[in-house]
Structure formats: structure tokens, C-alpha cells
Amino acid sequence: TYSSDDSSDDSSGDSDGSVTDFVAFAMAEAGAYQLGASGPQDDADGDGQSNLLELALGSDPTQSSDQVEPIESVVDGSDFVVSFIRVKESESPSDLNIYAECSTDLVNWSSAEGTAVFETSDDQSDVTTGYERIELRIPTTDDCAFVRLAVDLP
């Protein structure tokens, strides 16, 4: 199991708790050792999604038929709620950056930081071990007609 705790008793020096280490560990666990195809920005299965995106949002980066689950959205009172699967924070590197962006026109995007609230969903059915369903809440009063998730390297 990957550990993001860089203060662990691992004297091998193999784990530094970074996104790069997280992806390398997951790809090795999956048996994907191909140079130039197993880094965070690489696409080992050729499906158009980076290894980092797939690992962060619950997909298998070595199987092109396994895609990131589509996000679901509903309006709940005065909030726009987006539900998605992501790797649990306790099992991800501290520098993994998953965030929401808003747009009014699908061309210009801005960070939803400050208005978006990430909460663990009560519904964790059919979620793979090591992952969790998250609800992202954005007030409908915000200038946020469209929402997308982003996963970036630090």
C-alpha cells in the first residue's frame, strides 16, 4: 500500500510522499513499467486521460476501457452539487491538487476556490477501497454556470 507519510520508517528512500512517487507506485503495482508511459502526465493505456487524472479520480490507467466516472450534478436548495469519486486524502500525496473551476461560457475558466466546498458524501456505495465519493457544493448565486474538475501536478 502506498503511504504518503514521508516520516515513515522507510529507510529505502523510495517514498517521498509526492505525486510522482504516488503515480510511480500505482503504476508499478499494476505492472506498468514502460519508460515514457508510467509518469503522472503520461497516458499508459492511450485513452486520452493522464495516469495522474485516472488514479486521482478512480480509474485504472492501464486499462483503456476503464474511464473516469462521469460527475453527477443536482441542485440542492441554494447549492449546485457535483458528486465525483477521488482517491482518499489519507491515501494520496500531500501535493495532489484536485480542484474545481467555474465558467459562464465554457471558454474562460476560473478557480472556484473560496466558494466551492468539498464534503465527503454520505453515499459511499460502489466506491473502490482507497477512494471516496465527494460532493462539491457551489452556491447557485455564484457566477458558475459550468463546473469542471482539474487534477494538476504541483
Side-chain angles (χ1 to χ4, degrees):
T1 303
Y2 172 81
S3 172
S4 63
D5 181 7
D6 57 6
S7 64
S8 67
D9 216 10
D10 179 13
S11 58
S12 70
D14 292 341
S15 176
D16 64 4
S18 70
V19 166
T20 301
D21 187 54
F22 169 72
V23 172
F25 180 85
M27 298 304 287
E29 286 273 298
Y33 300 104
Q34 184 178 352
L35 192 60
S38 58
Q41 301 294 40
D42 296 326
D43 179 12
D45 57 11
D47 64 359
Q49 297 178 333
S50 73
N51 297 334
L52 175 59
L53 177 74
E54 291 196 61
L55 288 167
L57 299 181
S59 178
D60 183 343
T62 65
Q63 299 293 321
S64 62
S65 61
D66 189 18
Q67 297 285 311
V68 170
E69 293 283 326
I71 60 175
E72 299 173 8
S73 60
V74 297
V75 175
D76 180 22
S78 63
D79 289 337
F80 182 61
V81 181
V82 177
S83 177
F84 64 97
I85 306 293
R86 77 167 182 202
V87 65
K88 287 184 176 179
E89 286 189 37
S90 62
E91 300 196 22
S92 67
S94 59
D95 62 347
L96 180 63
N97 191 12
I98 301 174
Y99 58 96
E101 293 182 320
C102 289
S103 175
T104 57
D105 58 11
L106 293 174
V107 175
N108 300 298
W109 293 89
S110 61
S111 172
E113 187 177 357
T115 59
V117 176
F118 289 85
E119 299 174 341
T120 303
S121 174
D122 291 335
D123 177 15
Q124 295 298 318
S125 59
D126 300 320
V127 177
T128 304
T129 301
Y131 289 83
E132 62 188 345
R133 182 171 286 110
I134 296 295
E135 291 180 353
L136 167 66
R137 295 182 163 274
I138 299 173
T140 55
T141 56
D142 284 0
D143 203 16
C144 194
F146 303 97
V147 177
R148 71 179 180 187
L149 290 176
V151 178
D152 284 337
L153 287 169

